[in-house]
Amino acid sequence: QVQLVESGGGLVQAGGSLRLSCAASGGTVSGLTMGWFRQAPGKEREFVVGMYWHGGRTSGADAVKGRFTISRDNARNTVYLQMDSLKPEDTGLYYCAGKPMSSTSSIYDYWGQGTQVTVSP
């Protein structure tokens, strides 16, 4: 069973940057399609950006285009989310998720516990 553990969240001022990490075990990130999601208080969880198992990136959410970048380190079996030019509206609980390369579903099978990002004005 694949397990995902996020880290790197915290409190940052608007305009600042954070890098989130998602460490995988029980599977390799190069064999998974990975995604970052977030959930703001009182809102539904939303897709942020993803990476296919072959390394291609998905289109990110309009709200983060040009500011957030997904990457991965196969040697560390870790996926990252670099977040720049952060805004207060980026505040939320950030999750990484994964699904097997063979999956044709939009549903992600594996989820981390989330890491909190808070952006102050």
Side-chain angles (χ1 to χ4, degrees):
Q1 179 75 354
V2 174
Q3 293 186 324
L4 304 173
V5 178
E6 303 97 334
S7 61
L11 174 65
V12 63
Q13 287 189 328
S17 298
L18 280 175
R19 188 178 78 157
L20 306 183
S21 300
C22 173
S25 61
T28 58
V29 294
S30 58
L32 299 169
T33 288
M34 300 294 295
W36 283 97
F37 294 75
R38 67 184 182 185
Q39 186 167 20
K43 295 187 177 180
E44 293 187 355
R45 187 168 59 194
E46 64 175 353
F47 175 79
V48 176
V49 68
M51 177 175 277
Y52 296 105
W53 62 271
H54 50 69
R57 294 175 174 84
T58 69
S59 295
D62 288 343
V64 306
K65 283 182 179 177
R67 300 188 298 122
F68 289 14
T69 304
I70 187 172
S71 63
R72 76 183 185 200
D73 185 333
N74 291 342
R76 297 182 183 274
N77 211 27
T78 299
V79 174
Y80 302 97
L81 180 66
Q82 178 67 39
M83 305 186 294
D84 299 316
S85 302
L86 282 161
K87 305 175 181 180
E89 51 264 43
D90 294 319
T91 294
L93 191 59
Y94 282 70
Y95 300 90
C96 76
K99 56 184 176 178
M101 64 164 70
S102 59
S103 174
T104 57
S105 171
S106 61
I107 297 174
Y108 283 74
D109 299 290
Y110 317 116
W111 291 84
Q113 81 290 350
T115 185
Q116 179 66 38
V117 171
T118 303
V119 184
S120 63

